[in-house]
Amino acid sequence: MPLFTVLVLKILLILGLSLSAHARVSISIEEDIYQYAKEILAGQSISDFTTEIFNHPKCQRDVVEFLIAQRALQEGGFKHSFNFTLGNYDARNLKLLESGLLLMSFDTIWLTQAKMIANDVLISEPIIEKGRYFAGIYTSHTNKTLIRNKISTDLSKVSVVSSKAWLVDWVTLKALSPQQLHHEDDWITMAKLVSNGWVDVMLVSFNNTRPFFYEGTGYRIEAIEGVKVALQDSRHFIVSRHHPLGQQAYDALKVGLAKLKASNFIYQAYRQCGFINPLVDEWHTL
């Protein structure tokens, strides 16, 4: 984004926020995550929902974090409301955060990735501790048996799709020596590639369905039973240092997350969703 454009947008942002003590803050979010969260929330307010809502077939890690981020800000005393802009923002949000055009990410990112832009963002305490993140290896329903027989100690006999923007995922997959590793920015496009058998597998966190699966318009992917991948890093929310409300939001987030952790709210939310899942404890880890 050209420097002049960034400066103009920042000026407009500051002027807009200065007009109201409780301004509506624009947040960009993946459209599918927003719609799933809306369905799971079922009209309840951010201040009132309990962790039981995450025991829902459309729940996934991103949905939990989208709602937890809002709850934590509210618990920490952040008074501003949000206006959500829907679209495919995975690759763009980091640039928007670095420039101060986006307040914070409502999806956690890896610490390794956050440290790379630490001059531009404030990093929360870990939401998912290092060593607690396991992903399933998902494929199409019709290919499950065939693909499972090709996986032993690595992924050398299968093709994989992921995103270079997901640094830890990408490095982990490269270390597992896949037959082919394809880059794709959009998660739903990845799912469709795998569902249609054009790529063998992708990594996805576990949910609370059994068998573990995700489905939507044009795709259905299922976890290969008995095997999982360990992603060795912690995940954090990040807040822009350059946004006019950045420090205020970070201070509120810090207080709110501490409250939610102390009450075991975050752990129970992930547990209800199936991301923390005892059913895969004994599965073989690549």
Side-chain angles (χ1 to χ4, degrees):
M1 188 180 295
L3 179 59
F4 177 75
T5 303
V6 171
L7 290 173
V8 170
L9 289 172
K10 280 188 177 182
I11 291 169
L12 291 173
L13 179 64
I14 292 169
L15 289 174
L17 290 173
S18 67
L19 295 176
S20 171
H22 304 305
R24 293 185 68 85
V25 181
S26 292
I27 297 290
S28 48
I29 187 74
E30 300 298 300
E31 183 170 4
D32 58 326
I33 298 305
Y34 177 83
Q35 298 299 345
Y36 292 158
K38 186 176 178 181
E39 183 175 335
I40 289 168
L41 202 56
Q44 297 180 69
S45 71
I46 292 298
S47 59
D48 292 336
F49 75 84
T50 65
T51 58
E52 281 71 23
I53 69 167
F54 296 118
N55 185 16
H56 188 284
K58 290 189 177 178
C59 187
Q60 55 196 70
R61 175 191 59 78
D62 319 56
V63 174
V64 172
E65 291 170 359
F66 175 61
L67 295 177
I68 279 179
Q70 295 175 71
R71 180 66 161 266
L73 287 168
Q74 192 174 93
E75 293 270 350
F78 192 74
K79 301 300 184 184
H80 303 280
S81 56
F82 300 103
N83 180 42
F84 294 107
T85 303
L86 310 183
N88 175 22
Y89 287 98
D90 267 352
R92 284 179 282 173
N93 272 354
L94 288 182
K95 292 297 183 184
L96 294 173
L97 283 159
E98 288 178 74
S99 65
L101 297 176
L102 178 63
L103 173 62
M104 65 173 283
S105 172
F106 276 50
D107 182 12
T108 60
I109 73 167
W110 298 112
L111 180 60
T112 301
Q113 195 171 12
K115 284 182 174 179
M116 294 173 67
I117 55 173
N119 288 336
D120 298 305
V121 299
L122 298 158
I123 305 170
S124 78
E125 291 297 307
I127 308 305
I128 302 171
E129 303 283 348
K130 185 175 181 179
R132 298 296 300 274
Y133 197 115
F134 292 95
I137 303 173
Y138 284 71
T139 189
S140 68
H141 172 69
T142 55
N143 280 348
K144 277 178 70 175
T145 302
L146 174 65
I147 299 299
R148 178 66 184 94
N149 291 335
K150 291 184 176 183
I151 296 173
S152 54
T153 58
D154 60 21
L155 299 175
S156 59
K157 296 180 180 180
V158 299
S159 58
V160 185
V161 63
S162 186
S163 171
K164 293 178 182 178
W166 305 342
L167 185 61
V168 174
D169 301 57
W170 193 261
V171 170
T172 299
L173 286 167
K174 286 186 73 174
L176 292 171
S177 305
Q179 189 178 70
Q180 296 174 317
L181 180 55
H182 303 279
H183 165 73
E184 170 56 52
D185 283 324
D186 180 44
W187 189 94
I188 291 178
T189 301
M190 293 183 203
K192 289 180 178 179
L193 288 170
V194 172
S195 180
N196 286 293
W198 298 325
V199 179
D200 291 329
V201 302
M202 63 188 289
L203 296 185
V204 191
S205 56
F206 294 106
N207 57 19
N208 56 19
T209 61
R210 191 68 187 270
F212 301 109
F213 72 91
Y214 292 88
E215 66 179 350
T217 304
Y219 71 89
R220 179 184 171 99
I221 54 174
E222 297 187 14
I224 296 171
E225 297 280 323
V227 62
K228 61 187 178 181
V229 173
L231 297 168
Q232 293 295 335
D233 203 353
S234 55
R235 289 187 70 91
H236 306 248
F237 289 116
I238 55 174
V239 180
S240 176
R241 291 181 182 271
H242 308 304
H243 191 282
L245 298 175
Q247 190 63 52
Q248 183 182 337
Y250 177 75
D251 292 341
L253 185 68
K254 184 176 181 179
V255 171
L257 289 176
K259 289 181 179 179
L260 295 180
K261 278 191 173 185
S263 66
N264 219 28
F265 191 93
I266 294 175
Y267 173 82
Q268 288 299 331
Y270 281 131
R271 183 70 180 264
Q272 287 285 342
C273 188
F275 172 77
I276 297 176
N277 202 315
L279 296 176
V280 304
D281 283 350
E282 303 305 316
W283 285 19
H284 173 67
T285 303
L286 293 186

